Amino acid sequence: MKQEILSSAAGYRELDACLERNAVKRLLLVCGKSIERLPLWEYFLRLPQRLGVEVVRFSEFSPNPTYEAAVRGVEAYHRGKCQAIVTVGGGSAMDVAKCIKAYSTMPLGSDYFHQPLLPNDVLLVAVPTTAGTGSEATRYAIINYRGEKFSVTDFSLVPQVVLFDPQALSSLPLYQRKVTMLDALCHGIESYWAVSSTSESRRYASEAIALTLSNLEAYLGNDPTGNARMLEASNLAGKAINITQTTAGHAMSYKLTGLFGLAHGHAVALCVDALWPFMLSHTALCSDPRGEAYLKETFAGLAAVMGCPTSEAAMQWFRRLVSDLSLQRPAATEEQHDILKLSVNPERLRNHPVTLTTGTISQLYHQMLG
């Protein structure tokens, strides 16, 4: 499916045209409270009078959203007799919206989580308000079910339409800028070295990494052009991950967010920071069927994309970046370390190009945490 990209220019006229073209008269708006600070909020307030489109707002979810929140969203969708879903926000809002779309055509009130996911053509429009998750370009939705994170996955969950609105990023706090940028960068890096990488995914990942690095300072400085370019970089990284899935960096990060309250991109960056030097010094443990020589070429190619002369220089550049951004490294008890080393999804490790044992993972957690 080719994704339609809309511009926010000219008073969101392209979004008007999209709604009219799809004959949308009632839509579910999945968003957090932060939307009220955005120019886009006025657009939705005026939709009923301007285009006769009724807007049903759904905000009953939190970061790291739960299955129960998605169920409430499905109920709101049906109660409002909606025909389409528009989600405005970061990864959490998009995860909820994707699940609502996935469950919206199942029997109302049923156990959605354990049913086969059947594709549907419910229109899903995504407006990212952070430049990092790339969720608007992927088939994945991460949801908490009974205290554990699960991925709801289907290609039909990729939003058919994406609106890039750089103004939506203008009020992001500096910490959120740092961690969302790191999330996009780590998506590109992990996709580049993933066992499941292809020539197409490498192209997306390379473009995402180069665009992120060339606009890093402008984005952190809240420059409008930097904001616009980082939205593009995040989307490209999302397209890469949509092909390859993530690797150990993400697999090791999930429990960190729950145990220590770290933002997702923060946790992923700490994991990649610990993994990269281990990988370079243990290429003999290559798990990519293309072989160790290919893996070494991959690290060299990644360095070239980053503008670094060697694989070691690229790894050190990333480590300096994480250090310069002054990200907190929480201290973990031995009990927490035991929880962490057993929390990693072995399925994700199969996509990592260097074999990791439980002992190695434990060692890496000890290195990354205070």
Side-chain angles (χ1 to χ4, degrees):
M1 179 195 75
K2 184 174 176 58
Q3 192 175 62
E4 183 181 5
I5 304 293
L6 307 181
S7 166
S8 62
Y12 305 104
R13 288 180 187 169
E14 291 185 12
L15 184 53
D16 277 356
C18 173
L19 296 177
E20 291 178 323
R21 185 168 61 252
N22 287 279
V24 176
K25 290 301 179 183
R26 298 182 70 85
L27 66 83
L28 184 72
L29 176 61
V30 180
C31 62
K33 293 183 178 179
S34 61
I35 192 176
E36 296 173 14
R37 300 195 299 267
L38 305 178
L40 191 58
W41 177 233
E42 183 66 24
Y43 171 85
F44 287 108
L45 288 177
R46 296 177 57 234
L47 259 184
Q49 291 75 32
R50 288 196 315 103
L51 296 184
V53 177
E54 295 299 321
V55 178
V56 178
R57 180 177 177 178
F58 178 73
S59 301
E60 296 179 43
F61 62 91
S62 58
N64 302 311
T66 63
Y67 166 76
E68 290 75 17
V71 171
R72 291 193 295 271
V74 173
E75 292 169 351
Y77 178 88
H78 285 290
R79 192 166 54 245
K81 299 180 180 179
C82 299
Q83 304 157 297
I85 303 168
V86 178
T87 177
V88 180
S92 295
M94 293 194 190
D95 286 343
V96 171
K98 288 178 179 180
C99 287
I100 295 171
K101 171 183 166 72
Y103 302 153
S104 65
T105 54
M106 295 181 184
L108 187 60
S110 61
D111 179 358
Y112 307 122
F113 191 80
H114 292 102
Q115 291 189 51
L117 199 160
L118 300 177
N120 63 55
D121 58 0
V122 173
L123 176 66
L124 177 58
V125 180
V127 187
T129 59
T130 63
T133 68
S135 182
E136 78 282 354
T138 73
R139 64 187 189 271
Y140 312 111
I142 305 300
I143 204 80
N144 274 274
Y145 183 78
R146 296 182 177 176
E148 296 294 330
K149 286 189 174 183
F150 291 91
S151 180
V152 179
T153 305
D154 193 85
F155 279 102
S156 68
L157 300 187
V158 179
Q160 298 98 315
V161 180
V162 174
L163 171 68
F164 284 158
D165 185 7
Q167 295 179 90
L169 275 58
S170 61
S171 61
L172 276 179
L174 180 58
Y175 174 71
Q176 290 301 320
R177 288 183 177 277
K178 291 178 181 179
V179 298
T180 52
M181 175 275 295
L182 285 169
D183 195 15
L185 181 57
C186 290
H187 277 157
I189 291 169
E190 287 191 58
S191 178
Y192 195 94
W193 67 37
V195 170
S196 56
S197 64
T198 65
S199 58
E200 182 183 14
S201 70
R202 287 268 179 97
R203 176 167 53 83
Y204 285 136
S206 298
E207 292 176 9
I209 293 167
L211 200 55
T212 299
L213 299 190
S214 62
N215 290 279
L216 192 153
E217 290 186 9
Y219 174 65
L220 293 179
N222 200 13
D223 176 82
T225 300
N227 289 343
R229 295 291 178 267
M230 201 60 72
L231 280 171
E232 296 175 25
S234 176
N235 184 261
L236 287 165
K239 288 179 177 177
I241 286 296
N242 198 42
I243 295 171
T244 64
Q245 298 187 287
T246 52
T247 64
H250 274 66
M252 292 178 65
S253 75
Y254 291 129
K255 205 66 177 181
L256 289 176
T257 62
L259 282 180
F260 303 108
L262 303 181
H264 175 66
H266 183 162
V268 172
L270 294 184
C271 294
V272 171
D273 179 60
L275 281 160
W276 205 331
F278 176 84
M279 295 166 67
L280 288 183
S281 60
H282 292 82
T283 56
L285 298 177
C286 175
S287 59
D288 192 317
R290 292 169 288 195
E292 183 181 7
Y294 180 86
L295 179 59
K296 290 180 177 180
E297 291 175 6
T298 294
F299 287 136
L302 180 57
V305 170
M306 296 174 64
C308 298
T310 65
S311 302
E312 178 77 15
M315 178 270 290
Q316 292 291 355
W317 185 95
F318 183 84
R319 304 205 81 184
R320 283 194 302 273
L321 174 65
V322 173
S323 176
D324 290 346
L325 291 176
S326 302
L327 297 181
Q328 172 200 3
R329 290 180 180 269
T333 65
E334 281 308 310
E335 182 181 2
Q336 288 172 322
H337 274 296
D338 288 340
I339 293 171
L340 287 167
K341 72 180 181 183
L342 298 175
S343 69
V344 181
N345 185 341
E347 288 296 322
R348 294 290 177 95
L349 296 184
R350 290 192 179 96
N351 196 34
H352 195 72
V354 174
T355 300
L356 299 174
T357 65
T358 301
T360 301
I361 290 170
S362 178
Q363 176 187 348
L364 292 171
Y365 275 128
H366 277 86
Q367 289 175 7
M368 79 174 74
L369 301 177

mmCIF file with all atom_site columns, all heavy atoms in Angstrom, residues 256-277:
data_model
loop_
_atom_site.group_PDB
_atom_site.id
_atom_site.type_symbol
_atom_site.label_atom_id
_atom_site.label_alt_id
_atom_site.label_comp_id
_atom_site.label_asym_id
_atom_site.label_entity_id
_atom_site.label_seq_id
_atom_site.pdbx_PDB_ins_code
_atom_site.Cartn_x
_atom_site.Cartn_y
_atom_site.Cartn_z
_atom_site.occupancy
_atom_site.B_iso_or_equiv
_atom_site.pdbx_formal_charge
_atom_site.auth_seq_id
_atom_site.auth_comp_id
_atom_site.auth_asym_id
_atom_site.auth_atom_id
_atom_site.pdbx_PDB_model_num
ATOM 1   N N   . LEU A 1 256 ? 12.954 -1.660 30.766 1.00 0.00 ? 256 LEU A N   1
ATOM 2   C CA  . LEU A 1 256 ? 13.553 -0.457 31.358 1.00 0.00 ? 256 LEU A CA  1
ATOM 3   C C   . LEU A 1 256 ? 12.515 0.653  31.511 1.00 0.00 ? 256 LEU A C   1
ATOM 4   O O   . LEU A 1 256 ? 12.526 1.391  32.501 1.00 0.00 ? 256 LEU A O   1
ATOM 5   C CB  . LEU A 1 256 ? 14.712 0.054  30.495 1.00 0.00 ? 256 LEU A CB  1
ATOM 6   C CG  . LEU A 1 256 ? 15.992 -0.771 30.472 1.00 0.00 ? 256 LEU A CG  1
ATOM 7   C CD1 . LEU A 1 256 ? 16.981 -0.162 29.492 1.00 0.00 ? 256 LEU A CD1 1
ATOM 8   C CD2 . LEU A 1 256 ? 16.608 -0.871 31.857 1.00 0.00 ? 256 LEU A CD2 1
ATOM 9   N N   . THR A 1 257 ? 11.635 0.768  30.532 1.00 0.00 ? 257 THR A N   1
ATOM 10  C CA  . THR A 1 257 ? 10.627 1.832  30.603 1.00 0.00 ? 257 THR A CA  1
ATOM 11  C C   . THR A 1 257 ? 9.689  1.609  31.778 1.00 0.00 ? 257 THR A C   1
ATOM 12  O O   . THR A 1 257 ? 9.312  2.549  32.476 1.00 0.00 ? 257 THR A O   1
ATOM 13  C CB  . THR A 1 257 ? 9.814  1.919  29.301 1.00 0.00 ? 257 THR A CB  1
ATOM 14  O OG1 . THR A 1 257 ? 9.099  0.690  29.096 1.00 0.00 ? 257 THR A OG1 1
ATOM 15  C CG2 . THR A 1 257 ? 10.707 2.172  28.104 1.00 0.00 ? 257 THR A CG2 1
ATOM 16  N N   . GLY A 1 258 ? 9.311  0.356  32.012 1.00 0.00 ? 258 GLY A N   1
ATOM 17  C CA  . GLY A 1 258 ? 8.391  0.057  33.104 1.00 0.00 ? 258 GLY A CA  1
ATOM 18  C C   . GLY A 1 258 ? 9.042  0.135  34.472 1.00 0.00 ? 258 GLY A C   1
ATOM 19  O O   . GLY A 1 258 ? 8.459  0.679  35.415 1.00 0.00 ? 258 GLY A O   1
ATOM 20  N N   . LEU A 1 259 ? 10.277 -0.383 34.588 1.00 0.00 ? 259 LEU A N   1
ATOM 21  C CA  . LEU A 1 259 ? 10.946 -0.411 35.890 1.00 0.00 ? 259 LEU A CA  1
ATOM 22  C C   . LEU A 1 259 ? 11.404 0.963  36.359 1.00 0.00 ? 259 LEU A C   1
ATOM 23  O O   . LEU A 1 259 ? 11.362 1.266  37.556 1.00 0.00 ? 259 LEU A O   1
ATOM 24  C CB  . LEU A 1 259 ? 12.160 -1.349 35.837 1.00 0.00 ? 259 LEU A CB  1
ATOM 25  C CG  . LEU A 1 259 ? 11.903 -2.850 35.926 1.00 0.00 ? 259 LEU A CG  1
ATOM 26  C CD1 . LEU A 1 259 ? 13.220 -3.608 35.857 1.00 0.00 ? 259 LEU A CD1 1
ATOM 27  C CD2 . LEU A 1 259 ? 11.162 -3.218 37.208 1.00 0.00 ? 259 LEU A CD2 1
ATOM 28  N N   . PHE A 1 260 ? 11.845 1.798  35.406 1.00 0.00 ? 260 PHE A N   1
ATOM 29  C CA  . PHE A 1 260 ? 12.471 3.056  35.800 1.00 0.00 ? 260 PHE A CA  1
ATOM 30  C C   . PHE A 1 260 ? 11.768 4.300  35.259 1.00 0.00 ? 260 PHE A C   1
ATOM 31  O O   . PHE A 1 260 ? 12.207 5.419  35.500 1.00 0.00 ? 260 PHE A O   1
ATOM 32  C CB  . PHE A 1 260 ? 13.941 3.067  35.351 1.00 0.00 ? 260 PHE A CB  1
ATOM 33  C CG  . PHE A 1 260 ? 14.732 1.911  35.884 1.00 0.00 ? 260 PHE A CG  1
ATOM 34  C CD1 . PHE A 1 260 ? 15.135 0.874  35.062 1.00 0.00 ? 260 PHE A CD1 1
ATOM 35  C CD2 . PHE A 1 260 ? 15.057 1.843  37.233 1.00 0.00 ? 260 PHE A CD2 1
ATOM 36  C CE1 . PHE A 1 260 ? 15.855 -0.197 35.554 1.00 0.00 ? 260 PHE A CE1 1
ATOM 37  C CE2 . PHE A 1 260 ? 15.779 0.770  37.738 1.00 0.00 ? 260 PHE A CE2 1
ATOM 38  C CZ  . PHE A 1 260 ? 16.178 -0.254 36.902 1.00 0.00 ? 260 PHE A CZ  1
ATOM 39  N N   . GLY A 1 261 ? 10.677 4.107  34.521 1.00 0.00 ? 261 GLY A N   1
ATOM 40  C CA  . GLY A 1 261 ? 9.929  5.260  34.018 1.00 0.00 ? 261 GLY A CA  1
ATOM 41  C C   . GLY A 1 261 ? 10.659 6.048  32.947 1.00 0.00 ? 261 GLY A C   1
ATOM 42  O O   . GLY A 1 261 ? 10.409 7.245  32.769 1.00 0.00 ? 261 GLY A O   1
ATOM 43  N N   . LEU A 1 262 ? 11.570 5.402  32.229 1.00 0.00 ? 262 LEU A N   1
ATOM 44  C CA  . LEU A 1 262 ? 12.294 6.082  31.168 1.00 0.00 ? 262 LEU A CA  1
ATOM 45  C C   . LEU A 1 262 ? 11.424 6.211  29.921 1.00 0.00 ? 262 LEU A C   1
ATOM 46  O O   . LEU A 1 262 ? 10.608 5.327  29.632 1.00 0.00 ? 262 LEU A O   1
ATOM 47  C CB  . LEU A 1 262 ? 13.561 5.315  30.794 1.00 0.00 ? 262 LEU A CB  1
ATOM 48  C CG  . LEU A 1 262 ? 14.578 5.044  31.904 1.00 0.00 ? 262 LEU A CG  1
ATOM 49  C CD1 . LEU A 1 262 ? 15.777 4.304  31.324 1.00 0.00 ? 262 LEU A CD1 1
ATOM 50  C CD2 . LEU A 1 262 ? 15.021 6.330  32.576 1.00 0.00 ? 262 LEU A CD2 1
ATOM 51  N N   . ALA A 1 263 ? 11.600 7.289  29.176 1.00 0.00 ? 263 ALA A N   1
ATOM 52  C CA  . ALA A 1 263 ? 10.963 7.391  27.869 1.00 0.00 ? 263 ALA A CA  1
ATOM 53  C C   . ALA A 1 263 ? 11.530 6.308  26.963 1.00 0.00 ? 263 ALA A C   1
ATOM 54  O O   . ALA A 1 263 ? 12.677 5.864  27.128 1.00 0.00 ? 263 ALA A O   1
ATOM 55  C CB  . ALA A 1 263 ? 11.196 8.769  27.268 1.00 0.00 ? 263 ALA A CB  1
ATOM 56  N N   . HIS A 1 264 ? 10.730 5.883  25.993 1.00 0.00 ? 264 HIS A N   1
ATOM 57  C CA  . HIS A 1 264 ? 11.126 4.761  25.139 1.00 0.00 ? 264 HIS A CA  1
ATOM 58  C C   . HIS A 1 264 ? 12.460 5.019  24.433 1.00 0.00 ? 264 HIS A C   1
ATOM 59  O O   . HIS A 1 264 ? 13.374 4.174  24.465 1.00 0.00 ? 264 HIS A O   1
ATOM 60  C CB  . HIS A 1 264 ? 10.029 4.503  24.110 1.00 0.00 ? 264 HIS A CB  1
ATOM 61  C CG  . HIS A 1 264 ? 10.378 3.460  23.099 1.00 0.00 ? 264 HIS A CG  1
ATOM 62  N ND1 . HIS A 1 264 ? 10.565 2.136  23.418 1.00 0.00 ? 264 HIS A ND1 1
ATOM 63  C CD2 . HIS A 1 264 ? 10.598 3.559  21.758 1.00 0.00 ? 264 HIS A CD2 1
ATOM 64  C CE1 . HIS A 1 264 ? 10.882 1.456  22.322 1.00 0.00 ? 264 HIS A CE1 1
ATOM 65  N NE2 . HIS A 1 264 ? 10.911 2.289  21.312 1.00 0.00 ? 264 HIS A NE2 1
ATOM 66  N N   . GLY A 1 265 ? 12.600 6.172  23.784 1.00 0.00 ? 265 GLY A N   1
ATOM 67  C CA  . GLY A 1 265 ? 13.830 6.466  23.060 1.00 0.00 ? 265 GLY A CA  1
ATOM 68  C C   . GLY A 1 265 ? 15.049 6.533  23.971 1.00 0.00 ? 265 GLY A C   1
ATOM 69  O O   . GLY A 1 265 ? 16.163 6.187  23.566 1.00 0.00 ? 265 GLY A O   1
ATOM 70  N N   . HIS A 1 266 ? 14.856 6.993  25.190 1.00 0.00 ? 266 HIS A N   1
ATOM 71  C CA  . HIS A 1 266 ? 15.910 7.030  26.207 1.00 0.00 ? 266 HIS A CA  1
ATOM 72  C C   . HIS A 1 266 ? 16.402 5.616  26.495 1.00 0.00 ? 266 HIS A C   1
ATOM 73  O O   . HIS A 1 266 ? 17.609 5.327  26.456 1.00 0.00 ? 266 HIS A O   1
ATOM 74  C CB  . HIS A 1 266 ? 15.322 7.692  27.466 1.00 0.00 ? 266 HIS A CB  1
ATOM 75  C CG  . HIS A 1 266 ? 16.294 7.886  28.589 1.00 0.00 ? 266 HIS A CG  1
ATOM 76  N ND1 . HIS A 1 266 ? 16.056 8.772  29.618 1.00 0.00 ? 266 HIS A ND1 1
ATOM 77  C CD2 . HIS A 1 266 ? 17.480 7.300  28.901 1.00 0.00 ? 266 HIS A CD2 1
ATOM 78  C CE1 . HIS A 1 266 ? 17.050 8.737  30.483 1.00 0.00 ? 266 HIS A CE1 1
ATOM 79  N NE2 . HIS A 1 266 ? 17.928 7.840  30.064 1.00 0.00 ? 266 HIS A NE2 1
ATOM 80  N N   . ALA A 1 267 ? 15.459 4.709  26.763 1.00 0.00 ? 267 ALA A N   1
ATOM 81  C CA  . ALA A 1 267 ? 15.812 3.327  27.089 1.00 0.00 ? 267 ALA A CA  1
ATOM 82  C C   . ALA A 1 267 ? 16.492 2.634  25.913 1.00 0.00 ? 267 ALA A C   1
ATOM 83  O O   . ALA A 1 267 ? 17.497 1.924  26.085 1.00 0.00 ? 267 ALA A O   1
ATOM 84  C CB  . ALA A 1 267 ? 14.560 2.560  27.504 1.00 0.00 ? 267 ALA A CB  1
ATOM 85  N N   . VAL A 1 268 ? 15.977 2.846  24.712 1.00 0.00 ? 268 VAL A N   1
ATOM 86  C CA  . VAL A 1 268 ? 16.571 2.207  23.522 1.00 0.00 ? 268 VAL A CA  1
ATOM 87  C C   . VAL A 1 268 ? 17.993 2.694  23.310 1.00 0.00 ? 268 VAL A C   1
ATOM 88  O O   . VAL A 1 268 ? 18.900 1.898  23.012 1.00 0.00 ? 268 VAL A O   1
ATOM 89  C CB  . VAL A 1 268 ? 15.708 2.500  22.272 1.00 0.00 ? 268 VAL A CB  1
ATOM 90  C CG1 . VAL A 1 268 ? 16.422 2.005  21.016 1.00 0.00 ? 268 VAL A CG1 1
ATOM 91  C CG2 . VAL A 1 268 ? 14.350 1.836  22.385 1.00 0.00 ? 268 VAL A CG2 1
ATOM 92  N N   . ALA A 1 269 ? 18.230 3.994  23.466 1.00 0.00 ? 269 ALA A N   1
ATOM 93  C CA  . ALA A 1 269 ? 19.566 4.548  23.246 1.00 0.00 ? 269 ALA A CA  1
ATOM 94  C C   . ALA A 1 269 ? 20.576 3.965  24.228 1.00 0.00 ? 269 ALA A C   1
ATOM 95  O O   . ALA A 1 269 ? 21.718 3.658  23.854 1.00 0.00 ? 269 ALA A O   1
ATOM 96  C CB  . ALA A 1 269 ? 19.528 6.070  23.362 1.00 0.00 ? 269 ALA A CB  1
ATOM 97  N N   . LEU A 1 270 ? 20.185 3.784  25.487 1.00 0.00 ? 270 LEU A N   1
ATOM 98  C CA  . LEU A 1 270 ? 21.091 3.179  26.466 1.00 0.00 ? 270 LEU A CA  1
ATOM 99  C C   . LEU A 1 270 ? 21.441 1.755  26.060 1.00 0.00 ? 270 LEU A C   1
ATOM 100 O O   . LEU A 1 270 ? 22.585 1.313  26.213 1.00 0.00 ? 270 LEU A O   1
ATOM 101 C CB  . LEU A 1 270 ? 20.449 3.183  27.855 1.00 0.00 ? 270 LEU A CB  1
ATOM 102 C CG  . LEU A 1 270 ? 20.206 4.539  28.527 1.00 0.00 ? 270 LEU A CG  1
ATOM 103 C CD1 . LEU A 1 270 ? 19.642 4.342  29.935 1.00 0.00 ? 270 LEU A CD1 1
ATOM 104 C CD2 . LEU A 1 270 ? 21.476 5.379  28.581 1.00 0.00 ? 270 LEU A CD2 1
ATOM 105 N N   . CYS A 1 271 ? 20.458 1.026  25.529 1.00 0.00 ? 271 CYS A N   1
ATOM 106 C CA  . CYS A 1 271 ? 20.699 -0.360 25.111 1.00 0.00 ? 271 CYS A CA  1
ATOM 107 C C   . CYS A 1 271 ? 21.616 -0.431 23.895 1.00 0.00 ? 271 CYS A C   1
ATOM 108 O O   . CYS A 1 271 ? 22.561 -1.233 23.861 1.00 0.00 ? 271 CYS A O   1
ATOM 109 C CB  . CYS A 1 271 ? 19.373 -1.055 24.829 1.00 0.00 ? 271 CYS A CB  1
ATOM 110 S SG  . CYS A 1 271 ? 18.327 -1.281 26.288 1.00 0.00 ? 271 CYS A SG  1
ATOM 111 N N   . VAL A 1 272 ? 21.352 0.395  22.892 1.00 0.00 ? 272 VAL A N   1
ATOM 112 C CA  . VAL A 1 272 ? 22.203 0.399  21.697 1.00 0.00 ? 272 VAL A CA  1
ATOM 113 C C   . VAL A 1 272 ? 23.620 0.828  22.061 1.00 0.00 ? 272 VAL A C   1
ATOM 114 O O   . VAL A 1 272 ? 24.614 0.293  21.548 1.00 0.00 ? 272 VAL A O   1
ATOM 115 C CB  . VAL A 1 272 ? 21.607 1.320  20.615 1.00 0.00 ? 272 VAL A CB  1
ATOM 116 C CG1 . VAL A 1 272 ? 22.591 1.513  19.452 1.00 0.00 ? 272 VAL A CG1 1
ATOM 117 C CG2 . VAL A 1 272 ? 20.295 0.736  20.100 1.00 0.00 ? 272 VAL A CG2 1
ATOM 118 N N   . ASP A 1 273 ? 23.734 1.790  22.984 1.00 0.00 ? 273 ASP A N   1
ATOM 119 C CA  . ASP A 1 273 ? 25.035 2.267  23.448 1.00 0.00 ? 273 ASP A CA  1
ATOM 120 C C   . ASP A 1 273 ? 25.850 1.126  24.062 1.00 0.00 ? 273 ASP A C   1
ATOM 121 O O   . ASP A 1 273 ? 27.073 1.046  23.882 1.00 0.00 ? 273 ASP A O   1
ATOM 122 C CB  . ASP A 1 273 ? 24.808 3.377  24.484 1.00 0.00 ? 273 ASP A CB  1
ATOM 123 C CG  . ASP A 1 273 ? 26.103 3.931  25.044 1.00 0.00 ? 273 ASP A CG  1
ATOM 124 O OD1 . ASP A 1 273 ? 26.911 4.459  24.265 1.00 0.00 ? 273 ASP A OD1 1
ATOM 125 O OD2 . ASP A 1 273 ? 26.318 3.826  26.269 1.00 0.00 ? 273 ASP A OD2 1
ATOM 126 N N   . ALA A 1 274 ? 25.194 0.219  24.783 1.00 0.00 ? 274 ALA A N   1
ATOM 127 C CA  . ALA A 1 274 ? 25.886 -0.922 25.378 1.00 0.00 ? 274 ALA A CA  1
ATOM 128 C C   . ALA A 1 274 ? 26.139 -2.035 24.363 1.00 0.00 ? 274 ALA A C   1
ATOM 129 O O   . ALA A 1 274 ? 27.174 -2.716 24.403 1.00 0.00 ? 274 ALA A O   1
ATOM 130 C CB  . ALA A 1 274 ? 25.070 -1.459 26.558 1.00 0.00 ? 274 ALA A CB  1
ATOM 131 N N   . LEU A 1 275 ? 25.204 -2.230 23.450 1.00 0.00 ? 275 LEU A N   1
ATOM 132 C CA  . LEU A 1 275 ? 25.302 -3.337 22.494 1.00 0.00 ? 275 LEU A CA  1
ATOM 133 C C   . LEU A 1 275 ? 26.380 -3.120 21.438 1.00 0.00 ? 275 LEU A C   1
ATOM 134 O O   . LEU A 1 275 ? 27.087 -4.070 21.055 1.00 0.00 ? 275 LEU A O   1
ATOM 135 C CB  . LEU A 1 275 ? 23.952 -3.526 21.783 1.00 0.00 ? 275 LEU A CB  1
ATOM 136 C CG  . LEU A 1 275 ? 22.862 -4.256 22.551 1.00 0.00 ? 275 LEU A CG  1
ATOM 137 C CD1 . LEU A 1 275 ? 21.496 -3.950 21.954 1.00 0.00 ? 275 LEU A CD1 1
ATOM 138 C CD2 . LEU A 1 275 ? 23.137 -5.762 22.539 1.00 0.00 ? 275 LEU A CD2 1
ATOM 139 N N   . TRP A 1 276 ? 26.496 -1.913 20.940 1.00 0.00 ? 276 TRP A N   1
ATOM 140 C CA  . TRP A 1 276 ? 27.339 -1.654 19.769 1.00 0.00 ? 276 TRP A CA  1
ATOM 141 C C   . TRP A 1 276 ? 28.790 -2.079 19.978 1.00 0.00 ? 276 TRP A C   1
ATOM 142 O O   . TRP A 1 276 ? 29.344 -2.828 19.146 1.00 0.00 ? 276 TRP A O   1
ATOM 143 C CB  . TRP A 1 276 ? 27.246 -0.175 19.391 1.00 0.00 ? 276 TRP A CB  1
ATOM 144 C CG  . TRP A 1 276 ? 27.541 0.140  17.959 1.00 0.00 ? 276 TRP A CG  1
ATOM 145 C CD1 . TRP A 1 276 ? 28.359 -0.525 17.102 1.00 0.00 ? 276 TRP A CD1 1
ATOM 146 C CD2 . TRP A 1 276 ? 27.010 1.245  17.213 1.00 0.00 ? 276 TRP A CD2 1
ATOM 147 N NE1 . TRP A 1 276 ? 28.383 0.090  15.868 1.00 0.00 ? 276 TRP A NE1 1
ATOM 148 C CE2 . TRP A 1 276 ? 27.557 1.180  15.913 1.00 0.00 ? 276 TRP A CE2 1
ATOM 149 C CE3 . TRP A 1 276 ? 26.132 2.282  17.512 1.00 0.00 ? 276 TRP A CE3 1
ATOM 150 C CZ2 . TRP A 1 276 ? 27.258 2.127  14.923 1.00 0.00 ? 276 TRP A CZ2 1
ATOM 151 C CZ3 . TRP A 1 276 ? 25.832 3.216  16.538 1.00 0.00 ? 276 TRP A CZ3 1
ATOM 152 C CH2 . TRP A 1 276 ? 26.390 3.133  15.247 1.00 0.00 ? 276 TRP A CH2 1
ATOM 153 N N   . PRO A 1 277 ? 29.478 -1.656 21.062 1.00 0.00 ? 277 PRO A N   1
ATOM 154 C CA  . PRO A 1 277 ? 30.867 -2.104 21.224 1.00 0.00 ? 277 PRO A CA  1
ATOM 155 C C   . PRO A 1 277 ? 30.985 -3.611 21.385 1.00 0.00 ? 277 PRO A C   1
ATOM 156 O O   . PRO A 1 277 ? 31.952 -4.219 20.901 1.00 0.00 ? 277 PRO A O   1
ATOM 157 C CB  . PRO A 1 277 ? 31.335 -1.358 22.490 1.00 0.00 ? 277 PRO A CB  1
ATOM 158 C CG  . PRO A 1 277 ? 30.105 -0.865 23.165 1.00 0.00 ? 277 PRO A CG  1
ATOM 159 C CD  . PRO A 1 277 ? 29.081 -0.686 22.102 1.00 0.00 ? 277 PRO A CD  1
#
